[in-house]
Amino acid sequence: MDPGNFDITSDRSNSYNCAAWAMNDKSTKWWPLPVDEAPEYYWPEGAPRDDSITAFIDGFGRMGFQVCANGDLEEGFDKVAVYTALDHSPKHVALQLPNGRWTSKLGADEDIEHSSVADLQASHYGYPALFMSRARGGG
């Protein structure tokens, strides 16, 4: 990740993670980990709790998101990108801002704003493998 491709927009915090940040929640961490392994992580009730794209499709689906073709800006819609490793396991989530830029929470580090989903790809976040959208203000 090239430091010239992003702007830091918050202080460091370990209170929330990238999936929570994409869902506008700065109070907890979101990830579909099994409850018995990680009870401190929230995941929408009834959605699978495993390390899969399906878990994100179902979990974010319960928040009003639907799978879409790409991360192109669409007026009136929020979009998220789920990044995966080469084995297709989810590694990161980014949220598209209304201006078309993207925002990400970097683990326990800062939130950042970056111009493209490609700005984070090939780092330890993997590659954008899934895009989902919902009408702005939905969920």
Side-chain angles (χ1 to χ4, degrees):
M1 183 168 58
D2 179 355
N5 289 346
F6 65 88
D7 298 311
I8 295 172
T9 58
S10 77
D11 293 330
R12 295 172 54 102
S13 173
N14 200 28
S15 298
Y16 59 99
N17 64 357
C18 62
W21 177 244
M23 294 297 118
N24 196 31
D25 182 352
K26 292 175 70 174
S27 65
T28 192
K29 294 177 183 175
W30 289 45
W31 208 260
L33 297 170
V35 175
D36 58 336
E37 293 177 20
E40 70 277 16
Y41 282 82
Y42 171 79
W43 198 243
E45 186 70 34
R49 292 182 73 112
D50 59 39
D51 199 22
S52 71
I53 285 289
T54 302
F56 280 87
I57 291 170
D58 194 336
F60 286 174
R62 292 168 190 266
M63 303 304 295
F65 283 87
Q66 297 181 341
V67 174
C68 63
N70 56 48
D72 294 349
L73 181 64
E74 291 183 55
E75 190 66 36
F77 286 86
D78 290 322
K79 287 194 175 181
V80 294
V82 178
Y83 293 69
T84 65
L86 294 177
D87 67 359
H88 304 290
S89 61
K91 297 296 179 199
H92 181 69
V93 180
L95 172 68
Q96 188 178 51
L97 298 168
N99 64 7
R101 290 177 57 87
W102 291 81
T103 182
S104 291
K105 169 75 166 95
L106 303 179
D109 291 331
E110 303 89 356
D111 307 324
I112 64 168
E113 188 174 312
H114 45 106
S115 60
S116 164
V117 291
D119 290 336
L120 297 182
Q121 79 181 19
S123 64
H124 68 275
Y125 297 109
Y127 297 86
L130 170 69
F131 293 96
M132 299 183 77
S133 67
R134 72 175 177 196
R136 187 153 296 122

